[in-house]
């Protein structure tokens, strides 16, 4: 019994959706993990060291912000002979860290002037220990919010690219690939409805998680909700 029907070749749509979930979440978590690692390190260095380091890294952030991820992915697909889903994740991660870096920089600028950092310096703690052992745990709360939104954005981009035929190569099932298969045969409406519903619910869930984290970590939003 096929719970969500079958495609033109008789393959179960529910099984394809389950396998597509693995690809969607893999793209979301890996690409956002790369972006978070780059953004936190660069933002921490810019915010804590200041001076010419801050100027150079801020210009680098502005430069990367001008690079459209989709155009870079399409150019990479045109250049590479056998592009894989890992190339897509790498490009999304390398181009999606700027918002995280700016938030981390702002938090490090604020926290580097606090008393506990001054006390750590007086005790002889090194720069790296102060940055990643003392300041970073206190700066993570607002940084987690764009990470959650980034996961949703990466899933949406991957689904869109797969729908256009530039995503995960066959035989890997993807939600966007299922949508593309349903487009060629509109009578099989379940090939469009169920993958579209999966994309919608997943992106909505991560956006709601991001909004919840934002309300939990921002005292102004908490006060407005009372």
């Amino acid at each position: 019994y096929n719970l969500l029907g079958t495609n033109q070749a008789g393959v179960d749509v529910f099984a394809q959706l389950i396998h597509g979930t693995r690809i969607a979440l893999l793209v979301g978590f890996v690409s956002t993990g790369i972006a978070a690692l780059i953004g936190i390190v660069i933002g921490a260095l810019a915010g804590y060291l200041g001076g010419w380091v801050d100027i150079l890294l801020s210009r680098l952030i502005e430069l990367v912000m001008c690079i459209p991820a989709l155009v870079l992915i399409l150019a990479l697909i045109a250049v590479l002979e056998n592009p894989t889903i890992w190339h897509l994740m790498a490009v999304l991660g390398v181009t999606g860290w700027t918002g995280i870096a700016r938030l981390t920089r702002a938090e490090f600028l604020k926290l580097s002037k606090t008393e506990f950092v001054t006390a750590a310096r007086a005790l002889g703690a090194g720069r790296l220990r102060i940055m990643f052992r003392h300041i970073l745990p206190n700066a993570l709360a607002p940084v987690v919010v764009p990470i959650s939104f980034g996961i949703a954005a990466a899933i949406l981009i991957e689904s869109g690219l797969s729908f256009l035929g530039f995503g995960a190569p066959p035989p890997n099932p993807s939600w966007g690939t299922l949508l593309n298969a349903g487009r060629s045969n509109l009578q099989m409406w379940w090939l469009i409805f169920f993958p579209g519903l999966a994309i919608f619910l997943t992106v909505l869930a991560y956006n709601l998680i991001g909004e919840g984290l934002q309300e939990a970590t921002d005292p102004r939003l908490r006060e407005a909700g009372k």
Side-chain angles (χ1 to χ4, degrees):
Y1 179 70
N2 305 112
L3 186 63
L4 303 182
T6 60
N7 62 7
Q8 295 93 329
V11 180
D12 185 55
V13 173
F14 182 71
Q16 289 183 300
L17 276 179
I18 297 299
H19 287 285
T21 303
R22 180 177 60 86
I23 291 178
L25 294 182
L26 185 68
V27 169
F29 280 100
V30 172
S31 62
T32 310
I34 295 171
L37 180 64
I38 298 173
I40 288 172
V41 171
I42 290 181
L45 292 172
Y48 184 77
L49 298 178
W52 64 270
V53 176
D54 184 22
I55 293 172
L56 286 178
L57 292 179
S58 295
R59 299 295 82 77
L60 175 64
I61 292 171
E62 292 169 2
L63 177 65
V64 175
M65 288 178 67
C66 297
I67 302 174
L70 281 175
V71 174
L72 191 59
I73 291 169
L74 294 177
L76 189 68
I77 291 171
V79 170
L80 292 176
E81 186 175 348
N82 295 311
T84 65
I85 197 70
W86 297 99
H87 293 111
L88 171 64
M89 289 186 276
V91 172
L92 290 176
V94 169
T95 56
W97 54 268
T98 52
I100 298 171
R102 295 176 76 181
L103 272 175
T104 306
R105 174 184 174 273
E107 288 298 309
F108 269 71
L109 280 172
K110 180 178 69 175
L111 293 172
S112 60
K113 307 294 189 298
T114 54
E115 294 178 355
F116 72 90
V117 174
T118 306
R121 286 200 197 100
L123 290 171
R127 284 182 172 179
L128 289 177
R129 180 175 175 81
I130 292 174
M131 287 167 57
F132 297 106
R133 177 68 181 84
H134 297 284
I135 300 180
L136 184 59
N138 295 283
L140 275 181
V143 177
V144 173
V145 178
I147 291 176
S148 179
F149 288 130
I151 294 173
I155 292 173
L156 202 56
I157 290 174
E158 189 278 328
S159 299
L161 287 170
S162 296
F163 177 73
L164 296 173
F166 299 114
N172 297 313
S174 171
W175 291 342
T177 308
L178 286 174
L179 282 174
N180 192 19
R183 184 185 61 172
S184 60
N185 191 352
L186 295 178
Q187 292 180 345
M188 304 180 76
W189 56 268
W190 52 89
L191 292 178
I192 298 175
F193 177 76
F194 292 115
L197 184 65
I199 295 169
F200 171 75
L201 291 178
T202 305
V203 172
L204 177 65
Y206 280 107
N207 281 329
L208 290 177
I209 290 171
E211 288 184 8
L213 290 171
Q214 191 172 20
E215 291 180 4
T217 55
D218 193 332
R220 291 171 298 180
L221 291 176
R222 282 203 305 268
E223 291 297 325
K226 292 181 179 178

